[in-house]
Amino acid sequence: MKQHELTLLLCLLWALTLLYGEMFAYWVPPLFTCSWPHLLRTSSSATIQTDRGSYQDDYVKVAVIADPQLMDKTSLSLPAKSLALELAEFYTDLNMRRSFFASVLPFKPDVILFLGDYFDGGPYLSDEEWQESFSRFRHIFGLNAQGKYTDMQVYYIPGNHDIGYESLHSLKPEVIQRYEETFGIGNYRFTVGKVDFIAVDAQTLDGHPQNHLTSQTWDFVKNISVGDAVHPRVLLTHIPLYRRDDTYCGPDRSSPIINQRIHRAVNGDTNDISYQNYVFEESSKYLLDTIKPKHILSGHDHDQCTVTHQSKSGPVNEHTLGTISWQQGNLYPSFMLLSVVNSTLPNASIPKEALLTLLCYLPMQAHIYIWYIVLFILTLLAALFWPTSGTSLWHQCWGIVGHCKRLIASIFSRSETKDKDEDANYEYEMMWDAEGTMHLVKKPLNASTVNSNDRSLGERGNVVMRAAARKNTAQEGDLSLNVDMASGIGLDPVARIPPRTGKSKTKIIIQRLIRTLQMLTVIAAVNVPLYMMLLFKDWIDK
């Protein structure tokens, strides 16, 4: 393969890799791997038969996103505003922005639902840093200055990385006020289609009853439970409800199961919660029996988990969503699509399947970057060690094609050659019968006669050839002696030593390095502008 052909091949390989890793990979969910769950059902199952006729289900489309957890000064052991931290923030933000605009928005949802943990160190950020992080959040998810959309409804619930736990609420009450001014209150209800969504501030559920925020949350829960539910209910909580240790999370989980873990901090005379993985068991049972949800949506775990809780009103499925960010410990970021029923039957009843869910996976960004590194190493090895002084790539391809043709032809001609070899070992003799008819009789050759004749002929030939060879050898020896004597007159014996051939190793190494530098320069000249174009195409606001 010639040098320019190898360079062209590597340029093409890099261009395809960058196009897929920076653009095409984000088109996969809406085009191939994911769809609204109500569209996956057959037309017959989407039609409800009643006494008054058949009715087609109508659904509101909801996209659910959990734990973006924007990186900040608390995420890594790096100084604030350092170049390394800025680069980490940029590439993490860019990945989530691409995921949202290229993988989520093409589904054209009617509602966007966020399940908390919008910032990584929310409670520990200054007001200026909080506003800066909120500006990044709005840029990533295409929100306006008020954190809203012009053509879609958006709802938020608080997470522990936004407002902290009970131990922090007593020390920094301004954190709650700042969150509510930005995203709204933590306990509220809203209706989508024919389903009621109940949002609960889970960080305050297990605090001391005397705590103002805890009592406020439980008062909200009690008010929700008053009266009969007109619509099916979905409970929204950032922290998942209690489940026993090592509870199976279903096939969608990729990381080990996380069991209950509770940390407490001493604040004066109180022992407040500073961290928890799940809502306490008593609180979970009370929520299930009081709100009576049909489904539960939660986050916090950063990985997918589907469990079934038992309540007085029957089994309840809880879907814990994985993070949308590839930097939060999950190699398989995801989001969820909900199809919420929006039709009522003539008898004022709600269809049985009021909520349909489907988990959708986003590109594995870590694997894409790993492939970039592997391809760079392969490019260096190819540029350094691939032989480029041989024939052209196209000639090699045609040579392979010709070899295949000859191989096929030899396979078909093998049987014919076998028949010819068999005929060479036989002779045909003409025979006449009593009626005068001629017949050809096939007889094997006399092997001994043939071999003896061949051997005698070979011996006679050898005698003649030996004499001729002896004579010719003598003549050649005389001739070479005369030539050497004639050529050696007046010459230095050292001069008759042939000069050394081939290049030195140092020269070969230098040439290889120069060739590698030339190839890398061409590859970079073609693909770096392509990469920068793909990079800022998704970063700049449209």
Side-chain angles (χ1 to χ4, degrees), residues 192-228:
V192 175
K194 301 301 179 181
V195 175
D196 289 338
F197 288 80
I198 313 299
V200 173
D201 183 359
Q203 288 72 225
T204 61
L205 284 172
D206 295 318
H208 293 283
Q210 298 80 10
N211 187 300
H212 170 68
L213 296 175
T214 301
S215 60
Q216 189 178 45
T217 299
W218 284 115
D219 289 342
F220 169 77
V221 172
K222 293 175 182 177
N223 291 332
I224 289 293
S225 63
V226 175
D228 296 331

mmCIF file of all heavy atoms in Angstrom, residues 192-228:
data_model
loop_
_atom_site.group_PDB
_atom_site.id
_atom_site.type_symbol
_atom_site.label_atom_id
_atom_site.label_comp_id
_atom_site.label_asym_id
_atom_site.label_seq_id
_atom_site.Cartn_x
_atom_site.Cartn_y
_atom_site.Cartn_z
ATOM 1 N N VAL A 192 -51.627 15.529 34.211
ATOM 2 C CA VAL A 192 -51.252 15.364 32.807
ATOM 3 C C VAL A 192 -52.214 14.333 32.216
ATOM 4 O O VAL A 192 -52.249 13.191 32.673
ATOM 5 C CB VAL A 192 -49.799 14.883 32.646
ATOM 6 C CG1 VAL A 192 -49.488 14.601 31.175
ATOM 7 C CG2 VAL A 192 -48.839 15.910 33.207
ATOM 8 N N GLY A 193 -52.988 14.764 31.212
ATOM 9 C CA GLY A 193 -53.986 13.856 30.668
ATOM 10 C C GLY A 193 -55.012 13.507 31.726
ATOM 11 O O GLY A 193 -55.607 14.390 32.361
ATOM 12 N N LYS A 194 -55.193 12.230 31.943
ATOM 13 C CA LYS A 194 -56.128 11.747 32.963
ATOM 14 C C LYS A 194 -55.383 11.100 34.130
ATOM 15 O O LYS A 194 -55.892 10.171 34.764
ATOM 16 C CB LYS A 194 -57.091 10.744 32.341
ATOM 17 C CG LYS A 194 -57.902 11.291 31.185
ATOM 18 C CD LYS A 194 -58.750 12.487 31.606
ATOM 19 C CE LYS A 194 -59.546 13.040 30.434
ATOM 20 N NZ LYS A 194 -60.356 14.234 30.819
ATOM 21 N N VAL A 195 -54.187 11.588 34.432
ATOM 22 C CA VAL A 195 -53.371 11.040 35.512
ATOM 23 C C VAL A 195 -52.885 12.191 36.395
ATOM 24 O O VAL A 195 -52.436 13.231 35.889
ATOM 25 C CB VAL A 195 -52.172 10.245 34.962
ATOM 26 C CG1 VAL A 195 -51.265 9.780 36.091
ATOM 27 C CG2 VAL A 195 -52.656 9.053 34.150
ATOM 28 N N ASP A 196 -52.979 11.998 37.712
ATOM 29 C CA ASP A 196 -52.477 12.976 38.677
ATOM 30 C C ASP A 196 -51.055 12.600 39.087
ATOM 31 O O ASP A 196 -50.786 11.450 39.458
ATOM 32 C CB ASP A 196 -53.364 13.018 39.923
ATOM 33 C CG ASP A 196 -54.718 13.645 39.647
ATOM 34 O OD1 ASP A 196 -54.817 14.402 38.669
ATOM 35 O OD2 ASP A 196 -55.670 13.361 40.405
ATOM 36 N N PHE A 197 -50.162 13.583 39.046
ATOM 37 C CA PHE A 197 -48.777 13.393 39.485
ATOM 38 C C PHE A 197 -48.600 14.108 40.823
ATOM 39 O O PHE A 197 -48.892 15.310 40.949
ATOM 40 C CB PHE A 197 -47.801 13.945 38.453
ATOM 41 C CG PHE A 197 -47.708 13.113 37.205
ATOM 42 C CD1 PHE A 197 -48.672 13.206 36.210
ATOM 43 C CD2 PHE A 197 -46.651 12.228 37.021
ATOM 44 C CE1 PHE A 197 -48.584 12.432 35.067
ATOM 45 C CE2 PHE A 197 -46.550 11.452 35.878
ATOM 46 C CZ PHE A 197 -47.522 11.551 34.899
ATOM 47 N N ILE A 198 -48.092 13.367 41.808
ATOM 48 C CA ILE A 198 -47.886 13.895 43.161
ATOM 49 C C ILE A 198 -46.385 14.011 43.403
ATOM 50 O O ILE A 198 -45.680 13.009 43.500
ATOM 51 C CB ILE A 198 -48.521 12.986 44.232
ATOM 52 C CG1 ILE A 198 -49.944 12.594 43.840
ATOM 53 C CG2 ILE A 198 -48.461 13.658 45.584
ATOM 54 C CD1 ILE A 198 -50.889 13.761 43.694
ATOM 55 N N ALA A 199 -45.882 15.249 43.478
ATOM 56 C CA ALA A 199 -44.459 15.494 43.706
ATOM 57 C C ALA A 199 -44.219 15.729 45.186
ATOM 58 O O ALA A 199 -44.893 16.569 45.817
ATOM 59 C CB ALA A 199 -43.992 16.699 42.900
ATOM 60 N N VAL A 200 -43.249 14.982 45.765
ATOM 61 C CA VAL A 200 -42.963 15.048 47.189
ATOM 62 C C VAL A 200 -41.478 15.363 47.379
ATOM 63 O O VAL A 200 -40.619 14.794 46.700
ATOM 64 C CB VAL A 200 -43.329 13.717 47.880
ATOM 65 C CG1 VAL A 200 -42.876 13.723 49.334
ATOM 66 C CG2 VAL A 200 -44.822 13.467 47.795
ATOM 67 N N ASP A 201 -41.187 16.257 48.316
ATOM 68 C CA ASP A 201 -39.813 16.579 48.676
ATOM 69 C C ASP A 201 -39.290 15.460 49.572
ATOM 70 O O ASP A 201 -39.458 15.486 50.800
ATOM 71 C CB ASP A 201 -39.764 17.931 49.390
ATOM 72 C CG ASP A 201 -38.350 18.360 49.718
ATOM 73 O OD1 ASP A 201 -37.409 17.596 49.409
ATOM 74 O OD2 ASP A 201 -38.180 19.457 50.301
ATOM 75 N N ALA A 202 -38.635 14.472 48.993
ATOM 76 C CA ALA A 202 -38.223 13.279 49.744
ATOM 77 C C ALA A 202 -37.116 13.566 50.735
ATOM 78 O O ALA A 202 -36.927 12.802 51.696
ATOM 79 C CB ALA A 202 -37.766 12.194 48.760
ATOM 80 N N GLN A 203 -36.357 14.656 50.544
ATOM 81 C CA GLN A 203 -35.248 14.960 51.463
ATOM 82 C C GLN A 203 -35.754 15.382 52.843
ATOM 83 O O GLN A 203 -34.969 15.391 53.815
ATOM 84 C CB GLN A 203 -34.370 16.078 50.885
ATOM 85 C CG GLN A 203 -33.529 15.649 49.707
ATOM 86 C CD GLN A 203 -34.328 15.417 48.436
ATOM 87 O OE1 GLN A 203 -34.112 14.432 47.756
ATOM 88 N NE2 GLN A 203 -35.266 16.294 48.123
ATOM 89 N N THR A 204 -37.018 15.729 52.954
ATOM 90 C CA THR A 204 -37.563 16.181 54.240
ATOM 91 C C THR A 204 -38.480 15.150 54.888
ATOM 92 O O THR A 204 -38.968 15.391 56.001
ATOM 93 C CB THR A 204 -38.348 17.491 54.033
ATOM 94 O OG1 THR A 204 -39.446 17.246 53.133
ATOM 95 C CG2 THR A 204 -37.453 18.557 53.425
ATOM 96 N N LEU A 205 -38.725 14.021 54.245
ATOM 97 C CA LEU A 205 -39.700 13.054 54.756
ATOM 98 C C LEU A 205 -39.284 12.454 56.093
ATOM 99 O O LEU A 205 -40.129 12.263 56.988
ATOM 100 C CB LEU A 205 -39.911 11.932 53.731
ATOM 101 C CG LEU A 205 -40.766 12.262 52.503
ATOM 102 C CD1 LEU A 205 -40.716 11.124 51.503
ATOM 103 C CD2 LEU A 205 -42.208 12.545 52.928
ATOM 104 N N ASP A 206 -38.020 12.122 56.255
ATOM 105 C CA ASP A 206 -37.568 11.383 57.430
ATOM 106 C C ASP A 206 -36.896 12.271 58.467
ATOM 107 O O ASP A 206 -36.156 11.781 59.339
ATOM 108 C CB ASP A 206 -36.600 10.270 57.003
ATOM 109 C CG ASP A 206 -37.285 9.225 56.138
ATOM 110 O OD1 ASP A 206 -38.422 8.848 56.468
ATOM 111 O OD2 ASP A 206 -36.678 8.801 55.129
ATOM 112 N N GLY A 207 -37.131 13.565 58.384
ATOM 113 C CA GLY A 207 -36.588 14.463 59.400
ATOM 114 C C GLY A 207 -37.380 14.376 60.700
ATOM 115 O O GLY A 207 -38.361 13.637 60.823
ATOM 116 N N HIS A 208 -36.960 15.134 61.669
ATOM 117 C CA HIS A 208 -37.668 15.165 62.943
ATOM 118 C C HIS A 208 -39.054 15.790 62.748
ATOM 119 O O HIS A 208 -39.198 16.782 62.012
ATOM 120 C CB HIS A 208 -36.875 15.972 63.972
ATOM 121 C CG HIS A 208 -35.596 15.314 64.357
ATOM 122 N ND1 HIS A 208 -35.541 14.239 65.233
ATOM 123 C CD2 HIS A 208 -34.312 15.558 64.000
ATOM 124 C CE1 HIS A 208 -34.286 13.858 65.394
ATOM 125 N NE2 HIS A 208 -33.512 14.636 64.650
ATOM 126 N N PRO A 209 -40.070 15.238 63.391
ATOM 127 C CA PRO A 209 -41.429 15.775 63.206
ATOM 128 C C PRO A 209 -41.545 17.250 63.565
ATOM 129 O O PRO A 209 -42.409 17.952 63.030
ATOM 130 C CB PRO A 209 -42.276 14.905 64.155
ATOM 131 C CG PRO A 209 -41.481 13.650 64.325
ATOM 132 C CD PRO A 209 -40.046 14.068 64.265
ATOM 133 N N GLN A 210 -40.695 17.730 64.506
ATOM 134 C CA GLN A 210 -40.756 19.139 64.885
ATOM 135 C C GLN A 210 -40.186 20.059 63.809
ATOM 136 O O GLN A 210 -40.393 21.267 63.834
ATOM 137 C CB GLN A 210 -40.005 19.368 66.202
ATOM 138 C CG GLN A 210 -40.574 18.626 67.396
ATOM 139 C CD GLN A 210 -40.141 17.177 67.432
ATOM 140 O OE1 GLN A 210 -39.257 16.778 66.663
ATOM 141 N NE2 GLN A 210 -40.751 16.383 68.318
ATOM 142 N N ASN A 211 -39.450 19.461 62.877
ATOM 143 C CA ASN A 211 -38.843 20.263 61.815
ATOM 144 C C ASN A 211 -39.943 20.841 60.933
ATOM 145 O O ASN A 211 -40.883 20.148 60.532
ATOM 146 C CB ASN A 211 -37.903 19.372 60.991
ATOM 147 C CG ASN A 211 -37.101 20.170 59.977
ATOM 148 O OD1 ASN A 211 -37.664 20.812 59.104
ATOM 149 N ND2 ASN A 211 -35.784 20.109 60.085
ATOM 150 N N HIS A 212 -39.813 22.132 60.645
ATOM 151 C CA HIS A 212 -40.845 22.817 59.872
ATOM 152 C C HIS A 212 -41.022 22.201 58.488
ATOM 153 O O HIS A 212 -42.156 21.973 58.031
ATOM 154 C CB HIS A 212 -40.501 24.303 59.750
ATOM 155 C CG HIS A 212 -41.363 25.039 58.782
ATOM 156 N ND1 HIS A 212 -42.715 25.271 58.987
ATOM 157 C CD2 HIS A 212 -41.072 25.598 57.563
ATOM 158 C CE1 HIS A 212 -43.222 25.933 57.959
ATOM 159 N NE2 HIS A 212 -42.242 26.158 57.084
ATOM 160 N N LEU A 213 -39.904 21.911 57.793
ATOM 161 C CA LEU A 213 -39.990 21.361 56.437
ATOM 162 C C LEU A 213 -40.586 19.956 56.450
ATOM 163 O O LEU A 213 -41.368 19.594 55.555
ATOM 164 C CB LEU A 213 -38.607 21.345 55.793
ATOM 165 C CG LEU A 213 -37.970 22.715 55.556
ATOM 166 C CD1 LEU A 213 -36.552 22.552 55.013
ATOM 167 C CD2 LEU A 213 -38.814 23.528 54.585
ATOM 168 N N THR A 214 -40.240 19.155 57.457
ATOM 169 C CA THR A 214 -40.787 17.797 57.545
ATOM 170 C C THR A 214 -42.289 17.830 57.785
ATOM 171 O O THR A 214 -43.054 17.112 57.120
ATOM 172 C CB THR A 214 -40.077 17.025 58.672
ATOM 173 O OG1 THR A 214 -38.677 16.967 58.403
ATOM 174 C CG2 THR A 214 -40.636 15.612 58.780
ATOM 175 N N SER A 215 -42.731 18.638 58.731
ATOM 176 C CA SER A 215 -44.168 18.735 59.005
ATOM 177 C C SER A 215 -44.929 19.293 57.815
ATOM 178 O O SER A 215 -46.066 18.888 57.527
ATOM 179 C CB SER A 215 -44.397 19.610 60.242
ATOM 180 O OG SER A 215 -43.886 20.929 60.035
ATOM 181 N N GLN A 216 -44.294 20.207 57.075
ATOM 182 C CA GLN A 216 -44.933 20.777 55.892
ATOM 183 C C GLN A 216 -45.149 19.711 54.822
ATOM 184 O O GLN A 216 -46.213 19.666 54.190
ATOM 185 C CB GLN A 216 -44.064 21.918 55.360
ATOM 186 C CG GLN A 216 -44.696 22.752 54.264
ATOM 187 C CD GLN A 216 -43.783 23.879 53.829
ATOM 188 O OE1 GLN A 216 -42.578 23.690 53.633
ATOM 189 N NE2 GLN A 216 -44.336 25.069 53.683
ATOM 190 N N THR A 217 -44.161 18.839 54.640
ATOM 191 C CA THR A 217 -44.285 17.772 53.642
ATOM 192 C C THR A 217 -45.376 16.779 54.033
ATOM 193 O O THR A 217 -46.196 16.373 53.193
ATOM 194 C CB THR A 217 -42.945 17.050 53.475
ATOM 195 O OG1 THR A 217 -41.964 17.984 53.023
ATOM 196 C CG2 THR A 217 -43.064 15.914 52.464
ATOM 197 N N TRP A 218 -45.408 16.372 55.288
ATOM 198 C CA TRP A 218 -46.405 15.388 55.709
ATOM 199 C C TRP A 218 -47.807 15.991 55.721
ATOM 200 O O TRP A 218 -48.793 15.272 55.467
ATOM 201 C CB TRP A 218 -46.050 14.822 57.079
ATOM 202 C CG TRP A 218 -44.928 13.822 56.998
ATOM 203 C CD1 TRP A 218 -43.685 13.925 57.525
ATOM 204 C CD2 TRP A 218 -44.979 12.560 56.328
ATOM 205 N NE1 TRP A 218 -42.927 12.817 57.223
ATOM 206 C CE2 TRP A 218 -43.714 11.949 56.493
ATOM 207 C CE3 TRP A 218 -45.952 11.876 55.606
ATOM 208 C CZ2 TRP A 218 -43.391 10.706 55.970
ATOM 209 C CZ3 TRP A 218 -45.646 10.634 55.074
ATOM 210 C CH2 TRP A 218 -44.383 10.052 55.259
ATOM 211 N N ASP A 219 -47.945 17.273 55.996
ATOM 212 C CA ASP A 219 -49.260 17.917 55.887
ATOM 213 C C ASP A 219 -49.753 17.878 54.444
ATOM 214 O O ASP A 219 -50.957 17.665 54.194
ATOM 215 C CB ASP A 219 -49.180 19.365 56.369
ATOM 216 C CG ASP A 219 -49.006 19.457 57.877
ATOM 217 O OD1 ASP A 219 -49.286 18.455 58.572
ATOM 218 O OD2 ASP A 219 -48.557 20.523 58.355
ATOM 219 N N PHE A 220 -48.834 18.091 53.505
ATOM 220 C CA PHE A 220 -49.214 18.004 52.092
ATOM 221 C C PHE A 220 -49.686 16.592 51.732
ATOM 222 O O PHE A 220 -50.697 16.416 51.044
ATOM 223 C CB PHE A 220 -48.019 18.412 51.230
ATOM 224 C CG PHE A 220 -48.184 18.115 49.772
ATOM 225 C CD1 PHE A 220 -48.979 18.905 48.957
ATOM 226 C CD2 PHE A 220 -47.553 17.006 49.198
ATOM 227 C CE1 PHE A 220 -49.141 18.619 47.605
ATOM 228 C CE2 PHE A 220 -47.709 16.704 47.851
ATOM 229 C CZ PHE A 220 -48.505 17.522 47.056
ATOM 230 N N VAL A 221 -48.967 15.577 52.217
ATOM 231 C CA VAL A 221 -49.342 14.189 51.922
ATOM 232 C C VAL A 221 -50.715 13.881 52.503
ATOM 233 O O VAL A 221 -51.558 13.223 51.850
ATOM 234 C CB VAL A 221 -48.279 13.230 52.472
ATOM 235 C CG1 VAL A 221 -48.747 11.776 52.343
ATOM 236 C CG2 VAL A 221 -46.964 13.420 51.745
ATOM 237 N N LYS A 222 -51.001 14.347 53.712
ATOM 238 C CA LYS A 222 -52.294 14.074 54.332
ATOM 239 C C LYS A 222 -53.422 14.765 53.585
ATOM 240 O O LYS A 222 -54.522 14.216 53.437
ATOM 241 C CB LYS A 222 -52.266 14.525 55.793
ATOM 242 C CG LYS A 222 -51.328 13.694 56.668
ATOM 243 C CD LYS A 222 -51.232 14.256 58.078
ATOM 244 C CE LYS A 222 -50.247 13.451 58.923
ATOM 245 N NZ LYS A 222 -50.095 14.037 60.301
ATOM 246 N N ASN A 223 -53.165 15.961 53.102
ATOM 247 C CA ASN A 223 -54.201 16.667 52.346
ATOM 248 C C ASN A 223 -54.496 15.967 51.023
ATOM 249 O O ASN A 223 -55.642 15.963 50.550
ATOM 250 C CB ASN A 223 -53.774 18.109 52.087
ATOM 251 C CG ASN A 223 -53.741 18.932 53.355
ATOM 252 O OD1 ASN A 223 -54.473 18.652 54.319
ATOM 253 N ND2 ASN A 223 -52.883 19.954 53.389
ATOM 254 N N ILE A 224 -53.465 15.371 50.426
ATOM 255 C CA ILE A 224 -53.663 14.645 49.168
ATOM 256 C C ILE A 224 -54.566 13.431 49.385
ATOM 257 O O ILE A 224 -55.374 13.063 48.533
ATOM 258 C CB ILE A 224 -52.301 14.201 48.589
ATOM 259 C CG1 ILE A 224 -51.520 15.399 48.077
ATOM 260 C CG2 ILE A 224 -52.478 13.162 47.479
ATOM 261 C CD1 ILE A 224 -52.134 16.078 46.881
ATOM 262 N N SER A 225 -54.434 12.812 50.536
ATOM 263 C CA SER A 225 -55.168 11.574 50.795
ATOM 264 C C SER A 225 -56.638 11.803 51.105
ATOM 265 O O SER A 225 -57.418 10.853 51.146
ATOM 266 C CB SER A 225 -54.523 10.825 51.965
ATOM 267 O OG SER A 225 -54.602 11.588 53.161
ATOM 268 N N VAL A 226 -57.030 13.050 51.371
ATOM 269 C CA VAL A 226 -58.420 13.337 51.709
ATOM 270 C C VAL A 226 -59.293 13.177 50.469
ATOM 271 O O VAL A 226 -58.989 13.720 49.402
ATOM 272 C CB VAL A 226 -58.556 14.762 52.282
ATOM 273 C CG1 VAL A 226 -60.021 15.105 52.522
ATOM 274 C CG2 VAL A 226 -57.745 14.896 53.554
ATOM 275 N N GLY A 227 -60.354 12.420 50.582
ATOM 276 C CA GLY A 227 -61.265 12.217 49.479
ATOM 277 C C GLY A 227 -60.812 11.110 48.555
ATOM 278 O O GLY A 227 -59.694 10.578 48.653
ATOM 279 N N ASP A 228 -61.676 10.744 47.641
ATOM 280 C CA ASP A 228 -61.381 9.682 46.692
ATOM 281 C C ASP A 228 -60.623 10.244 45.494
ATOM 282 O O ASP A 228 -60.861 11.375 45.047
ATOM 283 C CB ASP A 228 -62.678 9.017 46.210
ATOM 284 C CG ASP A 228 -63.410 8.315 47.352
ATOM 285 O OD1 ASP A 228 -62.724 7.877 48.293
ATOM 286 O OD2 ASP A 228 -64.655 8.236 47.287
#
